[in-house]
Amino acid sequence: MYWQLIASVVAVVVGVFYIAKFWNNIRETVANWLRLAGWERSMLMDAWIQLDSTFSGIRCKFFLKQAESQELRVFEETYSINEIDDIDVLAELEKRGYVERNIMTYLQ
């Protein structure tokens, strides 16, 4: 019984580490893109991603809305299924083939 509790705690910690890895990658990708687009000093009003299962992998569209001009910019990245380690995202992709998430909390 005691070992099962320890194993469960270890599994949760490892799971949180892997989930954080995926979202950290998303945050770094968005930050790099904002710098390249000249938006590194502007305030984001909203940001979200759409993930779609495709034949070649997972297509990820990033939608970024600037606060001052209300301009919306969209860019794409492609990930392999192995790069996505968020259990909830993987489950939704498997079930629906599509995920949309607000990512503002991951960027701050």
Side-chain angles (χ1 to χ4, degrees):
M1 180 79 159
Y2 180 71
W3 290 106
Q4 289 174 338
L5 178 62
I6 290 175
S8 297
V9 169
V10 169
V12 168
V13 170
V14 169
V16 167
F17 170 76
Y18 282 117
I19 290 169
K21 182 179 172 187
F22 173 68
W23 291 111
N24 284 338
N25 184 359
I26 296 289
R27 183 174 45 249
E28 289 172 21
T29 300
V30 170
N32 288 336
W33 189 83
L34 288 172
R35 280 191 290 279
L36 291 173
W39 276 15
E40 70 273 7
R41 295 181 189 259
S42 41
M43 290 279 295
L44 283 181
M45 179 179 204
D46 203 3
W48 66 96
I49 60 170
Q50 289 179 348
L51 296 138
D52 295 306
S53 294
T54 64
F55 181 72
S56 61
I58 305 298
R59 181 180 57 195
C60 183
K61 288 185 180 180
F62 296 84
F63 298 85
L64 305 170
K65 191 172 191 180
Q66 186 184 33
E68 295 94 24
S69 68
Q70 300 288 308
E71 182 180 353
L72 178 67
R73 295 205 182 171
V74 181
F75 70 100
E76 277 187 40
E77 293 255 337
T78 303
Y79 294 95
S80 73
I81 195 74
N82 297 334
E83 291 178 281
I84 300 175
D85 46 26
D86 185 315
I87 298 164
D88 295 332
V89 169
L90 288 171
E92 265 189 81
L93 281 170
E94 187 176 317
K95 182 178 178 182
R96 299 184 317 157
Y98 172 85
V99 176
E100 183 171 311
R101 294 274 171 93
N102 187 301
I103 59 172
M104 288 297 288
T105 56
Y106 299 106
L107 299 178
Q108 299 171 358

